[in-house]
């Protein structure tokens, strides 16, 4: 049993925080409880009308309590995909990630998660981003595996590791495009910096598989590649338990890439209406889902922090995107990996640097995150950070869908989403067929629906529950 604390609201009022386990503090007040996680672990909190319990294992919580499903969370996931929130797929079960605080009472709850406000970080005073990245990677004798995609973020991490002699760079590749431009760029960067480099070719047949030892907290498209990525990393570290795996995950969020409506909102705020409309048109073309498609990003991170009006809506959305990146890293780093994961872009100092850049100032200059690219090129006296386009792994996922089309079609037809009419089965089946036939773009709602059904199937197997319930 991994329940570590149980209390009723107001049962033992104490203003002084009580440390339950290292890093987890609880304050019990007259009508509420305040939980703060200042450590490195993730905790799970089950709230009830009379009190709450805290768990270290989601698997054990679900086996013991078998909570009902949270339909609001699931519907939001199907519409908007991954999101940062204290809620989970199960009703009245909350996540408490590092650097977050959760306030509970008998009828409501709220969550605070602002990682850029950690102690020691001050707005307005920054080191160079190249220095910040280098400082964010722990100095240790452990061998380093660098996930080097060939994009701006992983290239920046590669330069931050320059001078180390124990770095193995790995680049994921589509089996039908092992020499794509981003792979070739990654190979060149690794050679320039003196790193050993391997091209790790994905196996489409292994995508959509979830390893039994993983205990994911929520549906996510990231689940689709989790088993294959873990296998390739473990092959690279060759059984060494002290290995450190470093990647640039989070940079696309903190520097507003892929395109989001953040710059458009700030352009409007600064009265640059013509530029805002032109930029929004480029967003519609990028997302390819109609004129309202870019507005789906307005809901990213819903439920974080205080709900209030903002005179700078672009900056508020930027904060939510940063929260999303930090949240993802906090969760995905703790799914049973047998190695240490480091995400330098979401260290507090880098977050504050990203927040210092006005989102709208460089719109229309044909390079996203221009201030960061320019700063890195100038610092390292190179043009390696000037690349804009990068290949992707859509082809590998299309072949995975081709190989498993019948299985995935049955999953969509018989799954939780279909049973509770969260999506139209016919629409999902058409989108699945189009992807199997090689459509240029896989429908995002299909990917969200598949992630939901695979997630619920995985937890049914882990918990021994034939069918999770919506009603309590």
């Amino acid at each position: 049993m991994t329940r570590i604390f149980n209390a009723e609201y107001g049962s033992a009022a104490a203003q002084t925080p009580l440390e339950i386990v290292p890093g987890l503090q609880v304050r019990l007040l007259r009508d509420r409880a305040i939980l703060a996680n200042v450590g490195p672990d993730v905790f799970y909190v089950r709230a009830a009308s009379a009190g709450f319990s805290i768990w270290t294992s989601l698997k054990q919580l679900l086996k013991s309590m078998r909570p009902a499903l949270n339909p609001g969370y699931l519907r939001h996931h199907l519409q908007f995909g991954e999101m940062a929130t204290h809620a989970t797929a199960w009703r009245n079960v909350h996540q408490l990630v590092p650097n977050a605080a959760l306030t509970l009472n008998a009828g409501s709850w709220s969550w605070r998660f602002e990682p850029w406000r950690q102690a020691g970080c001050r707005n307005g005073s920054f080191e160079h981003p190249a220095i910040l990245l280098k400082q964010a990677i722990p100095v240790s004798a452990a061998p380093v595996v660098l996930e080097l995609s060939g994009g701006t973020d992983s290239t920046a991490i590669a330069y931050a590791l320059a001078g180390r002699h124990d770095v193995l760079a790995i680049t994921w590749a589509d089996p039908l495009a092992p020499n794509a431009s981003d792979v070739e760029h990654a190979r060149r960067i690794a050679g320039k910096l003196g790193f050993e480099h391997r091209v790790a070719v994905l196996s489409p047949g292994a995508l959509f598989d979830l390893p039994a030892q993983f205990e994911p907290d929520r549906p996510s498209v990231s689940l689709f590649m989790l088993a294959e990525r873990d296998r390739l990393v473990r092959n690279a570290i060759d059984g060494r338990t002290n290995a450190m795996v470093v990647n640039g995950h989070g940079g696309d969020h903190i520097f507003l890439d892929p395109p989001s409506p953040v710059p458009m909102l700030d352009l409007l705020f600064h009265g640059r209406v013509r530029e805002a409309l032109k930029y929004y048109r480029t967003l519609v073309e990028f997302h390819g889902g109609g004129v309202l498609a870019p507005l789906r990003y307005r809901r990213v991170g819903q439920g974080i922090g205080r709900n209030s009006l903002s005179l700078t809506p672009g900056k508020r959305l930027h904060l939510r995107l940063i929260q999303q990146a930090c949240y993802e890293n906090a969760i995905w780093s703790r799914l049973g990996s047998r190695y240490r994961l480091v995400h330098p872009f979401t260290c507090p100092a880098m977050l504050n640097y990203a927040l210092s850049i006005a989102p709208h100032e460089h719109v229309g200059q044909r390079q996203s995150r221009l201030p960061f690219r320019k700063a890195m090129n100038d610092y390292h006296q190179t043009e390696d950070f000037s690349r804009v386009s990068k290949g992707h792994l859509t082809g590998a996922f299309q072949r995975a869908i081709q190989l498993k089309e019948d299985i995935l079609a049955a999953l969509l037809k018989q799954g939780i989403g279909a049973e509770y009419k969260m999506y139209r089965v016919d629409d999902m089946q058409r989108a699945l067929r189009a992807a199997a036939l090689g459509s240029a773009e896989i429908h995002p709602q299909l990917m969200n629906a598949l992630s939901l059904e695979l997630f619920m199937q995985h937890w049914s197997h882990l918990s021994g529950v034939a069918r999770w319930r919506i009603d309590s």
Side-chain angles (χ1 to χ4, degrees), residues 12-18 26-30:
Q15 291 287 342
T16 303
L18 173 67
V26 177
R27 277 198 297 162
L28 296 172
L29 306 179
R30 187 179 65 178

Side-chain angles (χ1 to χ4, degrees), residues 219-247:
S220 168
V221 174
S222 302
L223 288 171
F224 298 154
M225 194 175 163
L226 201 60
E228 183 67 350
R229 176 190 166 278
D230 181 63
R231 179 183 69 83
L232 295 171
V233 169
R234 284 190 286 108
N235 287 345
I237 64 178
D238 195 25
R240 291 170 292 185
T241 57
N242 65 334
M244 183 168 63
V245 180
V246 186
N247 60 40

Side-chain angles (χ1 to χ4, degrees), residues 210-215 230 234 335-336 338 458 462:
L210 304 187
Q213 75 269 22
F214 287 156
E215 298 182 13
D230 181 63
R234 284 190 286 108
L335 291 186
R338 284 157 279 191
H458 182 71
L462 287 183

Side-chain angles (χ1 to χ4, degrees), residues 3-199:
R3 187 176 72 177
I4 59 174
F5 189 72
N6 189 68
E8 296 180 357
Y9 304 118
S11 60
Q15 291 287 342
T16 303
L18 173 67
E19 188 169 61
I20 305 303
V21 295
L24 177 60
Q25 300 174 352
V26 177
R27 277 198 297 162
L28 296 172
L29 306 179
R30 187 179 65 178
D31 57 349
R32 65 189 187 279
I34 303 174
L35 288 64
N37 185 0
V38 297
D41 298 315
V42 176
F43 299 96
Y44 306 96
V45 182
R46 182 181 183 270
S49 59
F52 63 96
S53 56
I54 305 174
W55 302 69
T56 58
S57 167
L58 181 58
K59 181 178 178 180
Q60 292 301 324
L61 186 158
L62 297 180
K63 276 191 170 183
S64 300
M65 301 294 184
R66 296 195 177 183
L69 289 174
N70 181 346
Y73 180 98
L74 299 182
R75 288 192 174 92
H76 191 98
H77 166 76
L78 288 169
Q79 187 173 6
F80 300 106
E82 298 177 13
M83 60 177 177
T85 171
H86 63 83
T88 67
W90 292 275
R91 182 175 292 166
N92 297 329
V93 175
H94 308 275
Q95 298 163 337
L96 190 58
V97 297
N99 305 306
L102 179 65
T103 300
L104 299 167
N105 60 34
S108 64
W109 43 79
S110 62
W111 197 44
R112 296 289 296 168
F113 179 51
E114 297 181 343
W116 55 87
R117 296 190 186 277
Q118 290 182 35
C121 296
R122 297 287 184 271
N123 287 321
S125 176
F126 308 104
E127 295 275 8
H128 193 281
I131 297 175
L132 296 179
L133 289 175
K134 195 173 186 69
Q135 292 173 343
I137 302 175
V139 177
S140 70
V144 177
V145 175
L146 168 63
E147 296 180 291
L148 181 60
S149 70
T152 298
D153 302 330
S154 62
T155 298
I157 302 300
Y159 270 93
L161 289 167
R164 294 192 61 152
H165 302 290
D166 55 353
V167 178
L168 168 60
I170 303 178
T171 302
W172 318 127
D174 185 328
L176 295 187
N179 297 309
S181 63
D182 51 323
V183 178
E184 289 300 318
H185 182 71
R187 183 180 286 119
R188 186 180 71 81
I189 294 298
K192 180 178 179 179
L193 299 176
F195 301 157
E196 180 186 351
H197 181 257
R198 296 181 192 173
V199 176

Side-chain angles (χ1 to χ4, degrees), residues 274-290:
R274 185 187 298 271
E275 290 175 88
L277 294 176
K278 182 179 179 180
Y279 181 73
Y280 192 78
R281 180 178 178 181
T282 66
L283 289 181
V284 172
E285 293 172 351
F286 174 85
H287 293 292

Side-chain angles (χ1 to χ4, degrees), residues 252-280 282-283 287 294 297-298 312-318 321 357-365 367-369:
D252 56 343
H253 283 62
I254 74 169
F255 289 119
L256 308 173
D257 191 26
S260 78
V262 173
M264 180 203 70
L265 293 170
D266 280 341
L267 284 169
L268 289 173
F269 178 74
H270 287 81
R272 294 158 62 178
V273 178
R274 185 187 298 271
E275 290 175 88
L277 294 176
K278 182 179 179 180
Y279 181 73
Y280 192 78
T282 66
L283 289 181
H287 293 292
Y297 281 89
R298 288 290 293 132
T312 54
K315 183 60 68 176
R316 181 169 173 80
L317 181 54
H318 190 185
L321 289 168
I357 301 172
H360 64 284
E361 288 184 355
H362 302 278
V363 171
Q365 298 190 32
Q367 281 203 29
S368 60
R369 63 182 90 175

